[in-house]
Amino acid sequence: MILYDFDGIYQPVRTKKVAFQVIGGVGGASLRYYETGATGSAIGPSNVTQYFAAQSFSSAWRRGGSVLLDRSCFPAPQFDIHYVPNLTQFGSNLVTSETLWLGYTFGSQ
C-alpha cells in the first residue's frame, strides 16, 4: 500500500526542551496486488503476472512530539492514522503506524 498526503502542521507547545505537534492533511492511497501464475499452450508453458490496483482518497492525522535530551539530540515519537474509505481488503478503513524518530539539530534553536 502506498500512502501520500499533503499536511498542515500546528505546534501548540514549543520550548527549548519540548515540542508537541498535531499534523493533519489529505491525500490518497494506492493498494496494489500482483498475482503470478503459469499457463500452458501448444507452444509451451509460460509465466504470467497480473497486476491489480485500487486508488482511493485518504485523510491523515498525526500526533507527535520531541524532547531534547542534550543540546542537539532528541527522540521524536509519532503516531499516524490514515482513514481510507472503502478499504475492505483488511477489515478496517483505518491504517495506523507508529514511528520513533531519532534526530539531531545543527546550530542554535
Side-chain angles (χ1 to χ4, degrees):
M1 173 167 271
I2 298 171
L3 298 167
Y4 57 92
D5 51 68
F6 302 95
D7 296 329
I9 300 172
Y10 174 61
Q11 187 167 309
V13 177
R14 175 149 172 92
T15 66
K16 284 190 167 193
K17 294 277 187 186
V18 176
F20 178 75
Q21 296 176 337
V22 177
I23 303 169
V26 296
S30 177
L31 183 60
R32 298 173 182 198
Y33 291 102
Y34 295 91
E35 183 178 327
T36 303
T39 63
S41 66
I43 299 173
S46 64
N47 292 328
V48 176
T49 300
Q50 182 76 32
Y51 168 70
F52 303 97
Q55 306 288 331
S56 182
F57 164 82
S58 77
S59 62
W61 293 96
R62 295 186 179 102
R63 291 183 66 175
S66 62
V67 177
L68 200 59
L69 297 177
D70 62 15
R71 289 185 171 194
S72 303
C73 186
F74 62 92
Q78 182 173 309
F79 180 72
D80 297 354
I81 299 174
H82 290 267
Y83 176 75
V84 183
N86 302 320
L87 183 65
T88 59
Q89 291 84 358
F90 302 106
S92 175
N93 291 335
L94 297 177
V95 179
T96 63
S97 67
E98 299 77 26
T99 308
L100 177 61
W101 300 92
L102 298 177
Y104 186 84
T105 61
F106 296 96
S108 63
Q109 294 187 26

